[in-house]
């Protein structure tokens, strides 16, 4: 097996990313696959097309080629006997991100996606090694930024940042070419005769060109979002792919329930926005919210969870065709299901400033990721908030920008932020904590923020500074607008009422509708912590089993009821 790329992951963890299987391992895998042969020079996998599955090479060599655009091609690795071809796309039958070509006659066997998931469950030790390799290969593709869709436009354009952020949060490799300075970008714009006013454009791996697409259109083009099977009846439909929803999906699918998850944005929820979580059990050195949620997302797919992201639940109604409920979603599609778990979480609160929308997407941010950090490098930024998410974002940004002005309405951070974060903030020389502060005005033009003004609530003193980027971490409201006409009881603040809050006869997480449950931040009375959300996601599965057994829809082993 040879390797030509200098990608850090592929260099430092090559043995794990590209393992060579022993003959005994290959023998155990054969029963999951179908024999296949390929002629020298044959294109086995084409980027943008769905691959036949995981390909285990028995003899011959297969080149894995990354298309850099405009005819530039790079060989990532050459697989020989005992190697296998594939990455995370093969786990869920999504379009391939790379090309595979037989360098010489190849004998192999192919493990289709469903059988690959069976292998991982039935052959746990072997499955662990394969899963690790698939994940590392995806990380390597993300680091290389040389595969996947190409976004072309000005790098600080609102829609470029929107599309770039969506792909990053979805764990999708992609490239961004600056139409103002990159010669390749200019060539592509000229080749496709694109008017500069129509930028950004996106070139998908399958060759399709999109003019400033919405997230859903882009997701469909790259195969991330697929049509919903209108004939399939699911045991459970989960609305929301944050920590609560993903935990429920993992536990439900691992215990045999057919599971579908919907989210209108991307997986991870608000937890995905955390630059580093240090108080989550089992991660003493901390872990980024996106890394934690990506692991949960991949884990759910390992157990066969169907992901429909981004797609929005619009109406929950009773079904009359054998299903208990119907969920109406975007594009006129319907999910038929026996039970529903509402895990739609919360949406970010917006600052009460008249012209806020003018700067959102370019200069006002609700997420502190490497994308935003790169935009702000070397500048002074302002961050509003006093909770843990605000503290984590401030510390993260401090390592990339010249200065962070942290504005908090209260008189101290101690009442709302974990002690370790308060101490870390105090130790950062370039974080200025301004308590009792309230933003009064944002000024700028053309969508570009130039200055912002805030007032000290006690003294009334106003301060104006030349700040071009503002981060808002001021809490969230329940994401329950879609439940307005669904006969699901909400409290005065819009959170979903469950359990004893509804009176006797209701389970802890059961809503006012039988067979409909609520978990995580969206549930009234829940603890707004990642660990609590994960715990509720696990706990609700016991309630699902009990409900389905009582409803006569599924035979449930007694030991499953009550297990979390």
């Amino acid at each position: 097996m040879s390797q030509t790329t200098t990608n850090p992951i592929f260099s430092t963890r090559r043995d794990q990313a590209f393992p060579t299987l022993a003959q005994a391992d290959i023998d155990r895998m054969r029963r999951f696959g179908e024999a296949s042969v390929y002629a020298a020079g044959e294109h086995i996998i084409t980027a943008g097309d769905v691959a036949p599955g995981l390909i285990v090479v028995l003899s011959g060599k297969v080149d894995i080629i990354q298309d850099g655009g405009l005819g530039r091609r790079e060989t990532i690795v050459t697989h020989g006997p005992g190697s296998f071809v594939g990455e995370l796309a093969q786990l869920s039958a999504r379009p391939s991100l790379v090309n595979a070509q037989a360098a010489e006659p190849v004998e192999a066997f192919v493990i289709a996606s469903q059988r690959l998931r069976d292998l991982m469950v039935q052959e746990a030790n072997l499955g662990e090694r394969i899963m690790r390799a698939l994940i590392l290969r995806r990380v390597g593709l993300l680091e290389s930024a040389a595969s996947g869709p190409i976004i072309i436009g000005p790098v600080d354009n609102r829609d470029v940042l929107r599309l770039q952020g969506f792909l990053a949060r979805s764990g999708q490799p992609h490239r961004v070419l600056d139409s103002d300075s990159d010669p390749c970008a200019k060539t592509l714009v000229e080749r496709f005769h694109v008017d500069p006013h129509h930028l950004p454009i996106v070139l998908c791996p399958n060759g399709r060109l999109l003019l400033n697409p919405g997230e859903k259109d882009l997701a469909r083009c790259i195969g991330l979002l697929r049509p919903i099977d209108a004939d399939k009846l699911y045991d459970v439909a989960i609305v929301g792919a944050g920590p609560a929803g993903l935990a429920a999906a993992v536990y439900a699918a691992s215990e045999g329930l057919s599971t579908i998850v919907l989210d209108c944005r991307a997986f991870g929820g608000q937890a995905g926005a955390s630059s580093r979580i240090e108080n989550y059990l089992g991660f003493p050195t901390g872990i980024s919210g996106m890394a934690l949620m990506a692991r949960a997302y991949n884990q759910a797919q390992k157990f066969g969870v169907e992901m429909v992201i981004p797609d929005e639940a619009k109406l929950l109604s009773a079904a009359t065709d054998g299903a208990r409920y119907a969920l109406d979603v975007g594009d006129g599609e319907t999910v038929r299901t026996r039970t529903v778990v509402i895990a739609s979480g919360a949406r970010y609160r917006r600052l009460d400033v008249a012209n806020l929308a003018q700067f959102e997407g370019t200069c006002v941010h609700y997420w502190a990721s490497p994308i935003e950090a790169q935009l702000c490098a070397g500048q002074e930024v302002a961050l509003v908030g006093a909770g843990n998410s605000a503290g984590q974002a401030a510390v993260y940004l401090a390592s990339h920008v010249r200065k962070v002005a942290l504005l908090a309405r209260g008189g101290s951070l101690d009442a709302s932020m974990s002690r370790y974060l308060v101490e870390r903030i105090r130790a950062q020389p370039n974080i200025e904590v301004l308590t009792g502060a309230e933003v009064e005005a944002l000024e700028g033009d053309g969508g570009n923020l130039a200055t912002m003004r805030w007032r000290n609530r006690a003294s009334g003193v106003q301060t104006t500074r030349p700040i071009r980027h503002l981060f808002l971490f001021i809490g969230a409201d329940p994401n329950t607008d879609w439940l307005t006409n669904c006969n699901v009881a909400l409290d005065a603040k819009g959170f979903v009422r469950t359990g004893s809050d509804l009176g006797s006869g209701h389970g802890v997480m059961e809503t006012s509708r039988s067979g409909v449950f609520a978990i995580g931040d969206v549930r009234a009375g829940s603890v707004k912590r990642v660990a609590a959300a994960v715990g509720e996601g696990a706990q609700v599965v016991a309630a699902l089993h009990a409900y389905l057994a009582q409803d006569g829809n599924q035979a449930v082993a007694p030991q499953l009821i009550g297990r979390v």
Side-chain angles (χ1 to χ4, degrees), residues 1 19-21 26 56-62 78-84 104 107:
M1 177 175 63
T20 299
L21 301 171
I26 294 174
V56 181
V57 180
L58 300 175
S59 66
K61 294 181 179 179
V62 177
T78 297
H79 289 298
S83 301
F84 54 88
E104 56 187 55
E107 179 185 0

Side-chain angles (χ1 to χ4, degrees), residues 503-525:
S504 60
H506 292 274
V508 175
M509 297 173 188
E510 189 177 20
T511 70
S512 55
R513 299 191 71 168
S514 179
V516 178
F517 304 84
I519 58 175
D521 287 0
V522 76
R523 189 177 70 83

Side-chain angles (χ1 to χ4, degrees), residues 363-552:
C363 302
V364 172
H365 313 283
Y366 298 87
W367 191 285
S369 75
I371 296 173
E372 289 79 21
Q374 185 176 359
L375 282 174
C376 306
Q379 303 177 34
E380 177 179 355
V381 303
L383 188 151
V384 182
N388 278 1
S389 294
Q392 291 159 353
V395 171
Y396 172 72
L397 290 170
S399 63
H400 294 82
V401 304
R402 180 170 57 83
K403 182 179 180 180
V404 178
L406 176 58
L407 281 66
R409 282 174 55 89
S412 170
L413 298 179
D414 295 279
S416 55
M417 189 180 294
S418 294
R419 185 65 186 174
Y420 78 93
L421 278 173
V422 174
E423 292 177 355
R424 186 165 298 165
I425 287 171
R426 288 172 178 165
Q428 303 302 314
N430 62 337
I431 297 180
E432 179 185 10
V433 178
L434 300 162
T435 57
E438 191 171 62
V439 177
E440 287 200 326
L442 305 176
E443 297 177 354
D445 56 69
N448 295 313
L449 181 64
T451 62
M452 63 176 288
R453 184 175 75 248
W454 61 83
R455 177 180 63 88
N456 183 282
R457 301 175 68 203
S459 66
V461 174
Q462 295 184 341
T463 302
T464 300
R465 286 190 188 172
I467 288 177
R468 296 173 55 194
H469 290 276
L470 170 63
F471 292 81
L472 299 179
F473 289 83
I474 54 177
D477 296 313
N479 188 16
T480 52
D481 289 350
W482 68 281
L483 290 171
T484 301
N485 298 313
C486 298
N487 295 321
V488 173
L490 308 177
D491 69 8
K493 295 182 179 179
F495 292 93
V496 180
R497 296 172 60 196
T498 59
S500 59
D501 191 29
L502 296 166
S504 60
H506 292 274
V508 175
M509 297 173 188
E510 189 177 20
T511 70
S512 55
R513 299 191 71 168
S514 179
V516 178
F517 304 84
I519 58 175
D521 287 0
V522 76
R523 189 177 70 83
S526 66
V527 178
K528 314 308 184 194
R529 296 285 189 182
V530 175
V534 171
E536 291 195 5
Q539 186 178 353
V540 77
V541 175
L544 293 174
H545 280 301
Y547 173 81
L548 290 170
Q550 181 182 3
D551 203 45

Side-chain angles (χ1 to χ4, degrees), residues 208-228:
R208 283 188 59 197
L209 182 71
L210 304 178
L211 297 176
N212 193 15
E215 287 89 336
K216 186 180 293 186
D217 292 332
L218 175 55
R220 289 199 186 282
C221 187
I222 64 176
L224 189 62
L225 180 62
R226 297 178 294 201
I228 294 170

Side-chain angles (χ1 to χ4, degrees), residues 68-92:
L70 297 177
R72 295 179 302 177
R73 292 160 69 87
E74 175 193 12
T75 299
I76 298 174
V77 66
T78 297
H79 289 298
S83 301
F84 54 88
V85 178
E87 58 98 41
L88 283 176
Q90 279 66 64
L91 188 61
S92 54

Side-chain angles (χ1 to χ4, degrees), residues 49-197:
D49 294 342
V50 177
L54 191 82
I55 301 171
V56 181
V57 180
L58 300 175
S59 66
K61 294 181 179 179
V62 177
D63 288 333
I64 304 302
I65 302 166
Q66 192 166 238
D67 188 353
L70 297 177
R72 295 179 302 177
R73 292 160 69 87
E74 175 193 12
T75 299
I76 298 174
V77 66
T78 297
H79 289 298
S83 301
F84 54 88
V85 178
E87 58 98 41
L88 283 176
Q90 279 66 64
L91 188 61
S92 54
R94 294 290 197 292
S96 177
L97 294 166
V98 294
N99 303 285
Q101 183 174 1
E104 56 187 55
V106 172
E107 179 185 0
F109 62 86
V110 180
I111 305 175
S113 294
Q114 176 59 56
R115 294 296 285 157
L116 176 58
R117 294 193 292 269
D118 292 340
L119 183 154
M120 289 187 174
V121 172
Q122 297 175 32
E123 297 284 352
N125 292 334
L126 183 55
E128 179 184 345
R129 292 169 55 201
I130 294 172
M131 188 70 177
R132 182 182 295 111
L134 300 184
I135 291 172
L136 287 174
R137 293 177 187 184
R138 172 60 63 90
V139 172
L141 293 176
L142 286 166
E143 286 186 347
S144 70
S147 61
I150 305 173
I151 304 171
I152 301 165
V155 292
D156 57 353
N157 176 275
R158 183 191 308 264
D159 290 306
V160 170
L161 295 173
R162 171 179 59 83
L163 296 169
Q164 185 181 10
F166 166 70
L167 291 171
R169 290 193 292 272
S170 300
Q172 294 297 305
H174 62 279
R175 287 164 283 178
V176 178
L177 302 183
D178 187 352
S179 58
D180 293 333
S181 60
D182 192 295
C184 292
K186 293 179 179 179
T187 300
L188 287 170
V189 169
E190 293 172 1
R191 174 183 295 180
F192 291 105
H193 308 290
V194 178
D195 187 307
H197 293 94

Side-chain angles (χ1 to χ4, degrees), residues 232-443:
K232 184 170 181 178
L233 176 60
Y234 294 90
D235 291 321
V236 56
I238 301 171
V239 181
L246 290 177
V250 168
Y251 279 90
S254 67
E255 295 186 358
L257 300 183
S258 58
T259 306
I260 186 170
V261 174
L262 302 98
D263 197 290
C264 62
R265 294 182 182 86
F267 68 81
Q270 289 191 81
S274 297
S275 57
R276 180 161 295 273
I277 301 173
E278 295 188 64
N279 56 359
Y280 189 77
L281 188 68
F283 292 91
T285 59
I287 184 171
S288 74
M290 180 52 67
L292 182 65
M293 293 297 98
R295 293 182 184 193
Y297 177 75
N298 294 331
Q299 190 176 17
Q301 291 187 98
K302 167 186 171 181
F303 290 115
V305 174
E306 186 171 339
M307 296 290 181
V308 184
I309 304 174
D311 214 343
E312 187 172 9
K314 295 183 176 180
L315 183 66
L316 170 64
S317 57
T320 58
D321 57 356
R324 185 71 186 244
Y325 289 107
L327 267 174
D328 293 343
V329 297
D331 299 329
E333 295 183 301
T334 300
V335 175
R336 301 169 60 245
T337 182
R338 293 179 171 124
T339 63
V340 177
V341 174
I342 301 169
S344 47
R347 58 178 180 271
Y348 299 110
R349 287 182 186 148
R350 301 174 73 246
L351 201 63
D352 187 17
V353 175
N355 60 344
L356 179 70
Q358 176 183 341
F359 305 108
E360 286 179 315
T362 54
C363 302
V364 172
H365 313 283
Y366 298 87
W367 191 285
S369 75
I371 296 173
E372 289 79 21
Q374 185 176 359
L375 282 174
C376 306
Q379 303 177 34
E380 177 179 355
V381 303
L383 188 151
V384 182
N388 278 1
S389 294
Q392 291 159 353
V395 171
Y396 172 72
L397 290 170
S399 63
H400 294 82
V401 304
R402 180 170 57 83
K403 182 179 180 180
V404 178
L406 176 58
L407 281 66
R409 282 174 55 89
S412 170
L413 298 179
D414 295 279
S416 55
M417 189 180 294
S418 294
R419 185 65 186 174
Y420 78 93
L421 278 173
V422 174
E423 292 177 355
R424 186 165 298 165
I425 287 171
R426 288 172 178 165
Q428 303 302 314
N430 62 337
I431 297 180
E432 179 185 10
V433 178
L434 300 162
T435 57
E438 191 171 62
V439 177
E440 287 200 326
L442 305 176
E443 297 177 354

